[in-house]
Amino acid sequence: MHPILKLLVQRIALGLLLLLAASVLIFVGTTVLPGDVAQNILGQGATPQALENLRQQLGMNDPAHVRYFNWLGGVLQGDLGTALTNGQDIATSMGQRLGNTLFLAFWAAVVSVPLAIGLGLIAVRYRNRWPDKVISTITLATVSVPEFLLGYIAIFILSVQFRALPSLAMINESMSLGEQLYAISLPVLVLVLTVLGHMMRMTRAAILNVMQSAYIETAELKGLAPFTIIYRHAFPNAIAPVVNVVMLNLAYLVVGVVVVEVVFVYPGMGQYLVDHVAKRDVPVVQACGLVFAAVYIGMNIIADVVSILANPRLRHPK
Amino acid sequence: MRIPIAALIGLIFTGAYFLAAIFAGLLAPYGMAEIVGDVWEPASAEHWLGTDSIGRDLLSRMIWGGQTTIFVATAATILSFTLGSILGFIAAVRGGWVDQLLSRGVDLMMSIPSLISALVVLSVMPVTLPVLILVMGLLDATRVFRLSRAVAVDIAVMDYVEAARLRGEKQTWIIFREILPNALSPLVAEMGLRFIFSVLFISTLSFLGLGVQPPLADWGGIVKENKEGIVYGIPAALIPAVAIATLAISVNLVADWVLNRTTSLKGGRGG
């Protein structure tokens, strides 16, 4: 087997193992913690009969490992269980919402990735001069404010003062793509601002690291223009770290979505999760937690795979 | 020793926030949950920042809220540092299966985003201040563990640690007398960043309604209580943004300074 293929298979297998372990962690986090789950869900005033019924419904009377394997078996067959609060099938109510969340995250990524890389390049080109300092200051300001507050600041300025963009991101299938994009413009803006800072700073650091190598000095000495040096010599060698940075931030995007969805009342996974945490609907929380963990771990696997593929030292083994 | 101007500004603001948090009872013009006026009154001489969604004085809410937010974040940071750095040092000094067990456990915990882990755990636990501090501290300890283990692994191979081992010192001596003093500076700088992360985290949880519970004030909760005013052009919900951002930036400035100072110390010149 080609060594690079072996490396990839190892990495993916490790990721799947990690996902399995994460599912154990989520299950343990919701059921084996100290305290009576049924009591916590129903509150202090619950009658013993109601507690017993809920325990029966949750399968609390079985030992923990039996419940775990029942749950995992169901998940593997696409059965995420039923919600306690309304008795609906979780997989069906989640499907559309997951699509909506990925739609939002996708457009945020489409805007933020080129922007972050472009700003990173400019910051490196004009290092320690005013464009670099302006970019650094603005990105420091955006990472110092939590997402939900950025959201309300954007609503306050753009939809209340200037009445330019909608403050609620309601979308449905009957809308055209243009209408949908208009509806999600503010949440996309907020998500872009939250990931832009980190992504741009890490891109800048990765390219600066490459810029200190001897071959860059050679290129400078033979008289190449600064931007030519960056995109012909520095950028190809910085691809692996930059892709890594981008994927890690996209993974973060999927989490940042949770809060932004609540701000803009967007019908996605984050809203679904937060609503059901407040209602203490354990099966829904477990299912959402597992989906978020799967997306996050998946993004991290892709980041590693790309950096393995982009590393020429690994492509041509001795 | 000259303190650079940026770090000085950072120190002054950070100090002011902590003092305001400690002496909230003396500073706040009104009580925490005292209804003193109309709904969403604009700023005036009696109410410097106006009033909130049910007519409480916003300035007082912000000061009391700062106390809760800073208290929870500080407690979580102390917990995560104590736990994370001690376990990190133990992993580095012991090596072998202890290191493997701790490191793989931390990898696993970090494979789920911390906000999601917190939401999952809070769905079955009662949402009280001790539980919040415990959950945030445990989740944050993973990052401290990674840093302190990495720093301690470098230190553990130094000659003076070897010398201490050879003279028969116990493990606790090696951890607290040999490694800790030398690992302190990067850890202190990291502590600033972790504290800011905790402030953002508790604010986010409170905003989602899963953190500090009313009538107790905190910065995230103030946003949640006043968010309906935004669409009518009432900026009450945006005031915590100013507080959080200035606190975050000033702590960052101090942390940068501490980090820069220690890197120049390592070089042996200037400083």
Side-chain angles (χ1 to χ4, degrees), chain A residues 276-315:
Chain A
H276 287 84
V277 171
K279 290 179 194 157
R280 299 184 174 279
D281 192 334
V282 176
V284 177
V285 174
Q286 284 173 337
C288 288
L290 192 63
V291 170
F292 274 111
V295 173
Y296 192 74
I297 292 173
M299 292 282 193
N300 279 297
I301 295 178
I302 296 174
D304 283 357
V305 166
V306 173
S307 59
I308 290 172
L309 290 178
N311 188 344
R313 283 176 217 95
L314 292 172
R315 243 179 338 214

mmCIF file of all heavy atoms in Angstrom, chain A residues 276-315:
data_model
loop_
_atom_site.group_PDB
_atom_site.id
_atom_site.type_symbol
_atom_site.label_atom_id
_atom_site.label_comp_id
_atom_site.label_asym_id
_atom_site.label_seq_id
_atom_site.Cartn_x
_atom_site.Cartn_y
_atom_site.Cartn_z
ATOM 1 N N HIS A 276 -34.455 22.704 23.227
ATOM 2 C CA HIS A 276 -34.693 21.435 23.914
ATOM 3 C C HIS A 276 -33.806 21.251 25.128
ATOM 4 O O HIS A 276 -34.141 20.453 25.994
ATOM 5 C CB HIS A 276 -34.592 20.277 22.922
ATOM 6 C CG HIS A 276 -35.787 20.231 22.015
ATOM 7 N ND1 HIS A 276 -35.866 21.000 20.875
ATOM 8 C CD2 HIS A 276 -36.961 19.589 22.117
ATOM 9 C CE1 HIS A 276 -37.034 20.795 20.301
ATOM 10 N NE2 HIS A 276 -37.725 19.951 21.031
ATOM 11 N N VAL A 277 -32.677 21.988 25.198
ATOM 12 C CA VAL A 277 -31.909 21.967 26.444
ATOM 13 C C VAL A 277 -32.751 22.640 27.524
ATOM 14 O O VAL A 277 -32.869 22.142 28.642
ATOM 15 C CB VAL A 277 -30.560 22.697 26.286
ATOM 16 C CG1 VAL A 277 -29.895 22.863 27.637
ATOM 17 C CG2 VAL A 277 -29.649 21.922 25.367
ATOM 18 N N ALA A 278 -33.392 23.779 27.170
ATOM 19 C CA ALA A 278 -34.212 24.499 28.144
ATOM 20 C C ALA A 278 -35.387 23.634 28.590
ATOM 21 O O ALA A 278 -35.792 23.685 29.747
ATOM 22 C CB ALA A 278 -34.698 25.807 27.537
ATOM 23 N N LYS A 279 -35.929 22.810 27.677
ATOM 24 C CA LYS A 279 -37.069 21.935 28.038
ATOM 25 C C LYS A 279 -36.602 20.626 28.653
ATOM 26 O O LYS A 279 -37.417 19.770 28.962
ATOM 27 C CB LYS A 279 -37.881 21.621 26.784
ATOM 28 C CG LYS A 279 -38.646 22.790 26.215
ATOM 29 C CD LYS A 279 -39.383 22.333 24.963
ATOM 30 C CE LYS A 279 -39.886 23.500 24.142
ATOM 31 N NZ LYS A 279 -40.101 23.110 22.734
ATOM 32 N N ARG A 280 -35.286 20.453 28.756
ATOM 33 C CA ARG A 280 -34.695 19.221 29.303
ATOM 34 C C ARG A 280 -35.176 17.980 28.563
ATOM 35 O O ARG A 280 -35.499 16.958 29.153
ATOM 36 C CB ARG A 280 -35.005 19.109 30.793
ATOM 37 C CG ARG A 280 -34.423 20.278 31.560
ATOM 38 C CD ARG A 280 -34.626 20.133 33.045
ATOM 39 N NE ARG A 280 -33.935 21.181 33.784
ATOM 40 C CZ ARG A 280 -32.629 21.139 34.066
ATOM 41 N NH1 ARG A 280 -31.908 20.135 33.688
ATOM 42 N NH2 ARG A 280 -32.083 22.117 34.736
ATOM 43 N N ASP A 281 -35.217 18.085 27.226
ATOM 44 C CA ASP A 281 -35.639 16.965 26.393
ATOM 45 C C ASP A 281 -34.391 16.162 26.015
ATOM 46 O O ASP A 281 -33.747 16.415 25.000
ATOM 47 C CB ASP A 281 -36.335 17.525 25.136
ATOM 48 C CG ASP A 281 -37.041 16.433 24.379
ATOM 49 O OD1 ASP A 281 -36.620 15.271 24.499
ATOM 50 O OD2 ASP A 281 -38.012 16.753 23.678
ATOM 51 N N VAL A 282 -34.026 15.192 26.880
ATOM 52 C CA VAL A 282 -32.731 14.533 26.763
ATOM 53 C C VAL A 282 -32.488 13.842 25.408
ATOM 54 O O VAL A 282 -31.419 14.014 24.819
ATOM 55 C CB VAL A 282 -32.527 13.549 27.942
ATOM 56 C CG1 VAL A 282 -31.233 12.789 27.787
ATOM 57 C CG2 VAL A 282 -32.517 14.333 29.242
ATOM 58 N N PRO A 283 -33.452 13.064 24.865
ATOM 59 C CA PRO A 283 -33.144 12.397 23.587
ATOM 60 C C PRO A 283 -32.777 13.378 22.470
ATOM 61 O O PRO A 283 -31.851 13.108 21.694
ATOM 62 C CB PRO A 283 -34.453 11.675 23.254
ATOM 63 C CG PRO A 283 -35.152 11.511 24.534
ATOM 64 C CD PRO A 283 -34.768 12.674 25.377
ATOM 65 N N VAL A 284 -33.471 14.532 22.391
ATOM 66 C CA VAL A 284 -33.155 15.509 21.352
ATOM 67 C C VAL A 284 -31.754 16.073 21.570
ATOM 68 O O VAL A 284 -30.974 16.224 20.625
ATOM 69 C CB VAL A 284 -34.193 16.654 21.346
ATOM 70 C CG1 VAL A 284 -33.825 17.698 20.311
ATOM 71 C CG2 VAL A 284 -35.572 16.108 21.078
ATOM 72 N N VAL A 285 -31.433 16.377 22.833
ATOM 73 C CA VAL A 285 -30.111 16.942 23.138
ATOM 74 C C VAL A 285 -29.014 15.957 22.765
ATOM 75 O O VAL A 285 -28.003 16.330 22.150
ATOM 76 C CB VAL A 285 -30.021 17.313 24.634
ATOM 77 C CG1 VAL A 285 -28.617 17.766 24.979
ATOM 78 C CG2 VAL A 285 -31.006 18.409 24.949
ATOM 79 N N GLN A 286 -29.220 14.675 23.093
ATOM 80 C CA GLN A 286 -28.219 13.660 22.731
ATOM 81 C C GLN A 286 -28.027 13.615 21.219
ATOM 82 O O GLN A 286 -26.901 13.618 20.720
ATOM 83 C CB GLN A 286 -28.669 12.278 23.212
ATOM 84 C CG GLN A 286 -28.504 12.081 24.701
ATOM 85 C CD GLN A 286 -29.108 10.778 25.158
ATOM 86 O OE1 GLN A 286 -29.989 10.215 24.504
ATOM 87 N NE2 GLN A 286 -28.640 10.294 26.295
ATOM 88 N N ALA A 287 -29.133 13.607 20.486
ATOM 89 C CA ALA A 287 -29.051 13.499 19.028
ATOM 90 C C ALA A 287 -28.338 14.716 18.439
ATOM 91 O O ALA A 287 -27.429 14.575 17.607
ATOM 92 C CB ALA A 287 -30.455 13.354 18.431
ATOM 93 N N CYS A 288 -28.735 15.920 18.892
ATOM 94 C CA CYS A 288 -28.096 17.138 18.371
ATOM 95 C C CYS A 288 -26.617 17.156 18.724
ATOM 96 O O CYS A 288 -25.775 17.485 17.889
ATOM 97 C CB CYS A 288 -28.747 18.383 18.955
ATOM 98 S SG CYS A 288 -30.368 18.700 18.304
ATOM 99 N N GLY A 289 -26.292 16.799 19.986
ATOM 100 C CA GLY A 289 -24.897 16.786 20.417
ATOM 101 C C GLY A 289 -24.081 15.868 19.528
ATOM 102 O O GLY A 289 -22.977 16.219 19.086
ATOM 103 N N LEU A 290 -24.648 14.699 19.213
ATOM 104 C CA LEU A 290 -23.934 13.737 18.379
ATOM 105 C C LEU A 290 -23.716 14.292 16.975
ATOM 106 O O LEU A 290 -22.628 14.172 16.406
ATOM 107 C CB LEU A 290 -24.731 12.434 18.312
ATOM 108 C CG LEU A 290 -23.967 11.257 17.717
ATOM 109 C CD1 LEU A 290 -22.767 10.918 18.577
ATOM 110 C CD2 LEU A 290 -24.875 10.063 17.570
ATOM 111 N N VAL A 291 -24.742 14.940 16.399
ATOM 112 C CA VAL A 291 -24.610 15.487 15.041
ATOM 113 C C VAL A 291 -23.549 16.582 15.024
ATOM 114 O O VAL A 291 -22.676 16.597 14.151
ATOM 115 C CB VAL A 291 -25.964 16.034 14.541
ATOM 116 C CG1 VAL A 291 -25.775 16.807 13.238
ATOM 117 C CG2 VAL A 291 -26.938 14.892 14.326
ATOM 118 N N PHE A 292 -23.587 17.492 16.024
ATOM 119 C CA PHE A 292 -22.584 18.556 16.072
ATOM 120 C C PHE A 292 -21.182 17.966 16.228
ATOM 121 O O PHE A 292 -20.236 18.398 15.565
ATOM 122 C CB PHE A 292 -22.870 19.533 17.212
ATOM 123 C CG PHE A 292 -23.834 20.610 16.824
ATOM 124 C CD1 PHE A 292 -25.108 20.650 17.362
ATOM 125 C CD2 PHE A 292 -23.470 21.580 15.912
ATOM 126 C CE1 PHE A 292 -26.001 21.651 17.002
ATOM 127 C CE2 PHE A 292 -24.349 22.573 15.544
ATOM 128 C CZ PHE A 292 -25.616 22.610 16.086
ATOM 129 N N ALA A 293 -21.051 16.966 17.109
ATOM 130 C CA ALA A 293 -19.737 16.343 17.302
ATOM 131 C C ALA A 293 -19.273 15.699 16.005
ATOM 132 O O ALA A 293 -18.098 15.806 15.633
ATOM 133 C CB ALA A 293 -19.802 15.312 18.427
ATOM 134 N N ALA A 294 -20.186 15.046 15.283
ATOM 135 C CA ALA A 294 -19.812 14.374 14.034
ATOM 136 C C ALA A 294 -19.317 15.382 13.012
ATOM 137 O O ALA A 294 -18.293 15.173 12.354
ATOM 138 C CB ALA A 294 -20.999 13.591 13.479
ATOM 139 N N VAL A 295 -20.031 16.510 12.874
ATOM 140 C CA VAL A 295 -19.610 17.535 11.911
ATOM 141 C C VAL A 295 -18.236 18.080 12.301
ATOM 142 O O VAL A 295 -17.341 18.221 11.474
ATOM 143 C CB VAL A 295 -20.646 18.675 11.857
ATOM 144 C CG1 VAL A 295 -20.129 19.816 10.992
ATOM 145 C CG2 VAL A 295 -21.960 18.170 11.307
ATOM 146 N N TYR A 296 -18.067 18.346 13.600
ATOM 147 C CA TYR A 296 -16.816 18.931 14.097
ATOM 148 C C TYR A 296 -15.650 17.976 13.857
ATOM 149 O O TYR A 296 -14.609 18.358 13.332
ATOM 150 C CB TYR A 296 -16.993 19.216 15.585
ATOM 151 C CG TYR A 296 -15.932 20.071 16.214
ATOM 152 C CD1 TYR A 296 -15.883 21.427 15.967
ATOM 153 C CD2 TYR A 296 -15.003 19.520 17.085
ATOM 154 C CE1 TYR A 296 -14.922 22.222 16.564
ATOM 155 C CE2 TYR A 296 -14.045 20.301 17.687
ATOM 156 C CZ TYR A 296 -14.007 21.657 17.427
ATOM 157 O OH TYR A 296 -13.058 22.437 18.024
ATOM 158 N N ILE A 297 -15.838 16.705 14.233
ATOM 159 C CA ILE A 297 -14.763 15.722 14.043
ATOM 160 C C ILE A 297 -14.497 15.528 12.554
ATOM 161 O O ILE A 297 -13.348 15.444 12.120
ATOM 162 C CB ILE A 297 -15.131 14.390 14.743
ATOM 163 C CG1 ILE A 297 -15.142 14.598 16.253
ATOM 164 C CG2 ILE A 297 -14.156 13.293 14.359
ATOM 165 C CD1 ILE A 297 -15.640 13.415 17.035
ATOM 166 N N GLY A 298 -15.577 15.513 11.738
ATOM 167 C CA GLY A 298 -15.416 15.365 10.296
ATOM 168 C C GLY A 298 -14.557 16.482 9.707
ATOM 169 O O GLY A 298 -13.647 16.233 8.916
ATOM 170 N N MET A 299 -14.825 17.720 10.124
ATOM 171 C CA MET A 299 -14.044 18.862 9.640
ATOM 172 C C MET A 299 -12.572 18.707 10.015
ATOM 173 O O MET A 299 -11.690 19.014 9.224
ATOM 174 C CB MET A 299 -14.547 20.161 10.273
ATOM 175 C CG MET A 299 -15.905 20.560 9.815
ATOM 176 S SD MET A 299 -15.805 21.287 8.195
ATOM 177 C CE MET A 299 -17.422 21.994 8.084
ATOM 178 N N ASN A 300 -12.336 18.243 11.253
ATOM 179 C CA ASN A 300 -10.954 18.067 11.690
ATOM 180 C C ASN A 300 -10.250 16.982 10.886
ATOM 181 O O ASN A 300 -9.072 17.113 10.563
ATOM 182 C CB ASN A 300 -10.903 17.737 13.185
ATOM 183 C CG ASN A 300 -11.027 18.989 14.019
ATOM 184 O OD1 ASN A 300 -10.170 19.855 13.951
ATOM 185 N ND2 ASN A 300 -12.097 19.104 14.761
ATOM 186 N N ILE A 301 -10.991 15.893 10.538
ATOM 187 C CA ILE A 301 -10.392 14.846 9.706
ATOM 188 C C ILE A 301 -10.019 15.434 8.348
ATOM 189 O O ILE A 301 -8.910 15.226 7.849
ATOM 190 C CB ILE A 301 -11.380 13.673 9.506
ATOM 191 C CG1 ILE A 301 -11.652 12.983 10.840
ATOM 192 C CG2 ILE A 301 -10.801 12.664 8.518
ATOM 193 C CD1 ILE A 301 -12.650 11.854 10.735
ATOM 194 N N ILE A 302 -10.953 16.215 7.743
ATOM 195 C CA ILE A 302 -10.679 16.795 6.427
ATOM 196 C C ILE A 302 -9.447 17.694 6.502
ATOM 197 O O ILE A 302 -8.582 17.654 5.623
ATOM 198 C CB ILE A 302 -11.900 17.585 5.917
ATOM 199 C CG1 ILE A 302 -13.077 16.631 5.715
ATOM 200 C CG2 ILE A 302 -11.581 18.275 4.598
ATOM 201 C CD1 ILE A 302 -14.364 17.318 5.356
ATOM 202 N N ALA A 303 -9.353 18.478 7.591
ATOM 203 C CA ALA A 303 -8.185 19.359 7.744
ATOM 204 C C ALA A 303 -6.895 18.550 7.721
ATOM 205 O O ALA A 303 -5.943 18.887 7.022
ATOM 206 C CB ALA A 303 -8.295 20.146 9.047
ATOM 207 N N ASP A 304 -6.882 17.436 8.470
ATOM 208 C CA ASP A 304 -5.671 16.603 8.514
ATOM 209 C C ASP A 304 -5.390 15.972 7.170
ATOM 210 O O ASP A 304 -4.253 15.920 6.718
ATOM 211 C CB ASP A 304 -5.826 15.518 9.584
ATOM 212 C CG ASP A 304 -5.629 16.089 10.956
ATOM 213 O OD1 ASP A 304 -5.325 17.287 11.051
ATOM 214 O OD2 ASP A 304 -5.781 15.345 11.943
ATOM 215 N N VAL A 305 -6.462 15.467 6.495
ATOM 216 C CA VAL A 305 -6.285 14.806 5.205
ATOM 217 C C VAL A 305 -5.683 15.783 4.196
ATOM 218 O O VAL A 305 -4.720 15.452 3.492
ATOM 219 C CB VAL A 305 -7.639 14.250 4.703
ATOM 220 C CG1 VAL A 305 -7.542 13.883 3.227
ATOM 221 C CG2 VAL A 305 -8.046 13.043 5.515
ATOM 222 N N VAL A 306 -6.229 17.004 4.157
ATOM 223 C CA VAL A 306 -5.721 17.987 3.197
ATOM 224 C C VAL A 306 -4.272 18.332 3.497
ATOM 225 O O VAL A 306 -3.445 18.423 2.591
ATOM 226 C CB VAL A 306 -6.600 19.256 3.192
ATOM 227 C CG1 VAL A 306 -5.968 20.324 2.318
ATOM 228 C CG2 VAL A 306 -7.974 18.933 2.679
ATOM 229 N N SER A 307 -3.941 18.472 4.798
ATOM 230 C CA SER A 307 -2.554 18.849 5.067
ATOM 231 C C SER A 307 -1.604 17.689 4.777
ATOM 232 O O SER A 307 -0.460 17.913 4.403
ATOM 233 C CB SER A 307 -2.389 19.384 6.488
ATOM 234 O OG SER A 307 -2.792 18.423 7.404
ATOM 235 N N ILE A 308 -2.085 16.450 4.896
ATOM 236 C CA ILE A 308 -1.237 15.317 4.480
ATOM 237 C C ILE A 308 -1.023 15.380 2.972
ATOM 238 O O ILE A 308 0.091 15.236 2.467
ATOM 239 C CB ILE A 308 -1.893 13.969 4.871
ATOM 240 C CG1 ILE A 308 -1.869 13.782 6.390
ATOM 241 C CG2 ILE A 308 -1.164 12.805 4.204
ATOM 242 C CD1 ILE A 308 -2.647 12.579 6.868
ATOM 243 N N LEU A 309 -2.125 15.625 2.224
ATOM 244 C CA LEU A 309 -2.033 15.640 0.753
ATOM 245 C C LEU A 309 -1.201 16.818 0.263
ATOM 246 O O LEU A 309 -0.549 16.719 -0.771
ATOM 247 C CB LEU A 309 -3.436 15.715 0.146
ATOM 248 C CG LEU A 309 -4.293 14.462 0.303
ATOM 249 C CD1 LEU A 309 -5.662 14.681 -0.291
ATOM 250 C CD2 LEU A 309 -3.619 13.271 -0.359
ATOM 251 N N ALA A 310 -1.247 17.937 0.997
ATOM 252 C CA ALA A 310 -0.550 19.136 0.521
ATOM 253 C C ALA A 310 0.919 19.135 0.890
ATOM 254 O O ALA A 310 1.660 20.001 0.462
ATOM 255 C CB ALA A 310 -1.223 20.389 1.085
ATOM 256 N N ASN A 311 1.353 18.161 1.697
ATOM 257 C CA ASN A 311 2.742 18.151 2.148
ATOM 258 C C ASN A 311 3.599 17.322 1.196
ATOM 259 O O ASN A 311 3.506 16.103 1.169
ATOM 260 C CB ASN A 311 2.806 17.563 3.557
ATOM 261 C CG ASN A 311 4.178 17.705 4.157
ATOM 262 O OD1 ASN A 311 5.140 17.961 3.443
ATOM 263 N ND2 ASN A 311 4.268 17.533 5.465
ATOM 264 N N PRO A 312 4.447 17.957 0.404
ATOM 265 C CA PRO A 312 5.233 17.209 -0.588
ATOM 266 C C PRO A 312 6.186 16.201 0.039
ATOM 267 O O PRO A 312 6.476 15.182 -0.561
ATOM 268 C CB PRO A 312 6.006 18.307 -1.334
ATOM 269 C CG PRO A 312 5.881 19.525 -0.516
ATOM 270 C CD PRO A 312 4.725 19.377 0.372
ATOM 271 N N ARG A 313 6.624 16.470 1.269
ATOM 272 C CA ARG A 313 7.542 15.533 1.915
ATOM 273 C C ARG A 313 6.892 14.182 2.140
ATOM 274 O O ARG A 313 7.547 13.162 2.149
ATOM 275 C CB ARG A 313 8.012 16.097 3.252
ATOM 276 C CG ARG A 313 9.061 17.177 3.103
ATOM 277 C CD ARG A 313 9.432 17.782 4.438
ATOM 278 N NE ARG A 313 9.655 19.199 4.278
ATOM 279 C CZ ARG A 313 8.742 20.110 4.505
ATOM 280 N NH1 ARG A 313 7.536 19.758 4.938
ATOM 281 N NH2 ARG A 313 9.001 21.375 4.315
ATOM 282 N N LEU A 314 5.559 14.192 2.355
ATOM 283 C CA LEU A 314 4.873 12.923 2.581
ATOM 284 C C LEU A 314 4.513 12.246 1.258
ATOM 285 O O LEU A 314 4.312 11.048 1.187
ATOM 286 C CB LEU A 314 3.604 13.144 3.399
ATOM 287 C CG LEU A 314 3.840 13.567 4.833
ATOM 288 C CD1 LEU A 314 2.546 13.935 5.501
ATOM 289 C CD2 LEU A 314 4.529 12.451 5.589
ATOM 290 N N ARG A 315 4.385 13.076 0.170
ATOM 291 C CA ARG A 315 3.977 12.518 -1.119
ATOM 292 C C ARG A 315 5.104 11.701 -1.752
ATOM 293 O O ARG A 315 4.864 10.766 -2.467
ATOM 294 C CB ARG A 315 3.554 13.649 -2.054
ATOM 295 C CG ARG A 315 2.095 13.547 -2.438
ATOM 296 C CD ARG A 315 1.697 14.681 -3.328
ATOM 297 N NE ARG A 315 2.577 15.827 -3.215
ATOM 298 C CZ ARG A 315 2.160 17.086 -3.338
ATOM 299 N NH1 ARG A 315 0.905 17.345 -3.569
ATOM 300 N NH2 ARG A 315 2.984 18.089 -3.259
#
